[in-house]
Amino acid sequence: MSQLADPFGLRSLDIEVLRTRDGAKWQSRGGRYAAWVADMDFPVAPAITDAMQGVIDGNAFGYPDWGGPYALSPAGRLFAPRMADRYGWEPRPDRVRDMVDVLQGVRATVFHLSNPGDGVVLHLPAYHPFLDTVELMNRRLVPVVRAGGAFDYDALEAELAGSGASIWILCNPHNPLGHVFDRPELERIAAIAERFDITVISDEIHADLTMPGVTHVPFESLGDEASARTVTLASASKAFNLAGLRWAAMHVGSDRMQAVLAGLPGHYLGAPNLMAVTATVAAWTHGDQWLSAVIDVLDENRRALTGLLAEHLPGVGYEPPRATYLAWLDCTALGLGPDPSQTFTARGVALSAGPEFGPQGEGHVRLNIATSPSVLAATVSAMAG
Ligand SMILES: Cc1ncc(COP(=O)(O)O)c(C=O)c1O
């Protein structure tokens, strides 16, 4: 592969080098192939490493000069223009907050805007830390389940009419399904949230990872009413592969959450990390060429996976994700029991176990396709044993 065709080295990853890479993905589970946690195998954009190197070269690791100890970071200041530029949504710059990570924003909102026993709405299967949030914080799960391939909002409304809910954690785009909620579906969600007075936490961490031809619609962009009951969370960490650096943005459309945050002392929810902010600014300012090269590889991989599964694991159900680099595989036809990941682990492939994503995940696994096409092919071949 010439460097010209692969300027960022996305298609030519060496499996032996990956196996020596530090971090949970490749080191914590053993096995010959690591396709579980949502980190990409790709090297990050050179613009990011250059910017971080600049901090190292300047030997400037002290408190940053961002306009005072409680001032919004430069990454936070870029959030509103970036949303306007990419998605036509104009967030309120005065409502943007730095967070340490997305889950912090999710859990802080659940903690402050609901009480133990309150309902929390989640589309199932659900990203497991959301399920943990409900359980660890003693809230009550109000599931949205699929019927005939689509989420059943009539059933949800019937349930809410009986039991109510305080919070809806909306994961758009959706992990693990790769589903992208379009405007009519988001409008239905907004109408239900309004009818039952539910605060929406819109986790849009995967927004930049929509596949070609697919449009991400920020929930708050639906209008003032939707925005006023919503907290949006975003980060460069998934699309630019920076999860270990720890930074996220919260946009506080909700006046109730704004009042909560205004009542908390500064730094109560932490303060941003210099390197994470440096990396995010570089990603959002100079990273889009790299990002579109990544999307090209992911698009190729999600299409190739259909053929790879047909060849090596016929019977596995798979719908190519419309966003994210996560493939949700229905392995029930293989007869591997409720947790097929155990069989694949025994064959040397680490995948995310379907049941972690709720009971709907039984018989399923989540496969991370953010790697070179050749590594993906070898991974699927190894899954077949
Ligand atoms: C939907 C979703 N939200 C949040 C996170 C975690 O984000 P953070 O590390 O910023 O808490 C992930 C990580 O994979 C995710 O997929």
Side-chain angles (χ1 to χ4, degrees), residues 122-131 141 174-176 356-358 360:
L122 270 180
H123 292 94
L124 293 189
Y127 174 55
H128 39 91
F130 296 158
L131 292 166
L141 177 65
H174 188 268
N175 170 7
E356 284 180 16
F357 299 82
Q360 284 71 10

Side-chain angles (χ1 to χ4, degrees), residues 33-359:
Y33 296 96
W36 61 290
V37 69
D39 279 325
M40 301 198 269
D41 287 341
F42 307 129
V44 303
I48 294 176
T49 44
D50 288 352
M52 294 175 76
Q53 190 62 49
V55 176
I56 293 169
D57 292 345
N59 210 324
F61 303 107
Y63 295 113
D65 180 17
W66 292 334
Y70 304 120
L72 188 63
S73 76
R77 292 203 292 271
L78 271 184
F79 175 77
R82 183 162 173 92
M83 291 302 112
D85 190 41
R86 279 186 83 86
Y87 306 116
W89 169 42
E90 301 203 346
R92 293 172 55 175
D94 63 323
R95 289 293 185 93
V96 182
R97 297 254 173 176
D98 293 300
M99 289 281 137
V100 174
D101 58 43
V102 164
L103 283 176
Q104 178 191 45
V106 170
R107 290 184 173 168
T109 308
V110 172
F111 182 79
H112 287 286
L113 295 192
S114 68
N115 294 303
D118 283 4
V120 174
V121 182
L122 270 180
H123 292 94
L124 293 189
Y127 174 55
H128 39 91
F130 296 158
L131 292 166
D132 292 350
T133 300
V134 174
E135 195 183 319
L136 296 170
M137 298 175 83
N138 296 314
R139 269 52 172 183
R140 179 173 42 82
L141 177 65
V142 180
V144 196
V145 292
R146 286 181 298 165
F151 286 112
D152 187 346
Y153 294 105
D154 292 338
L156 172 68
E157 285 201 84
E159 165 125 16
L160 287 172
S163 65
S166 303
I167 303 276
W168 189 327
I169 306 177
L170 172 65
C171 185
N172 181 30
H174 188 268
N175 170 7
L177 294 178
H179 175 68
V180 177
F181 295 82
D182 63 13
R183 190 173 294 276
E185 189 170 12
L186 291 173
E187 280 168 352
R188 178 93 199 257
I189 291 168
I192 297 171
E194 191 187 336
R195 178 175 165 207
F196 295 99
D197 193 18
I198 300 171
T199 297
V200 177
I201 300 173
S202 192
D203 177 341
E204 303 187 7
I205 196 170
H206 293 281
D208 285 356
L209 291 164
T210 49
M211 293 298 110
V214 180
T215 306
H216 169 72
V217 179
F219 186 76
E220 288 198 55
S221 74
L222 292 182
D224 292 347
E225 220 160 55
S227 176
R229 61 173 63 260
T230 301
V231 164
T232 297
L233 290 152
S235 171
S237 63
K238 291 295 126 183
F240 291 94
N241 211 20
L242 307 172
L245 288 180
R246 321 311 288 150
W247 180 83
M250 175 189 273
H251 182 258
V252 194
S254 156
D255 289 338
R256 286 182 62 211
M257 192 59 187
Q258 177 68 8
V260 166
L261 292 170
L264 297 176
H267 291 190
Y268 183 80
L269 293 173
N273 173 305
L274 168 65
M275 277 301 193
V277 168
T278 302
T280 301
V281 169
W284 283 356
T285 323
H286 302 296
D288 283 341
Q289 206 188 341
W290 177 92
L291 179 59
S292 69
V294 165
I295 298 285
D296 282 350
V297 179
L298 297 180
D299 187 29
E300 181 181 323
N301 280 353
R302 73 179 179 136
R303 291 168 193 276
L305 186 54
T306 305
L308 289 168
L309 291 169
E311 182 186 345
H312 297 286
L313 292 163
V316 168
Y318 161 66
E319 204 179 304
R322 288 167 59 73
T324 81
Y325 45 80
L326 306 165
W328 185 241
L329 307 184
D330 180 351
C331 302
T332 41
L334 301 181
L336 301 177
D339 183 5
S341 76
Q342 291 178 359
T343 301
F344 297 125
T345 301
R347 294 174 183 171
V349 185
L351 301 170
S352 298
E356 284 180 16
F357 299 82

Side-chain angles (χ1 to χ4, degrees), residues 9 13-28 39-44 241 370:
L13 294 170
D14 180 336
I15 185 70
E16 294 305 333
V17 174
L18 289 175
R19 285 176 183 147
T20 63
R21 185 178 282 173
D22 278 346
K25 186 179 188 192
W26 284 92
Q27 299 311 325
S28 74
D39 279 325
M40 301 198 269
D41 287 341
F42 307 129
V44 303
N241 211 20

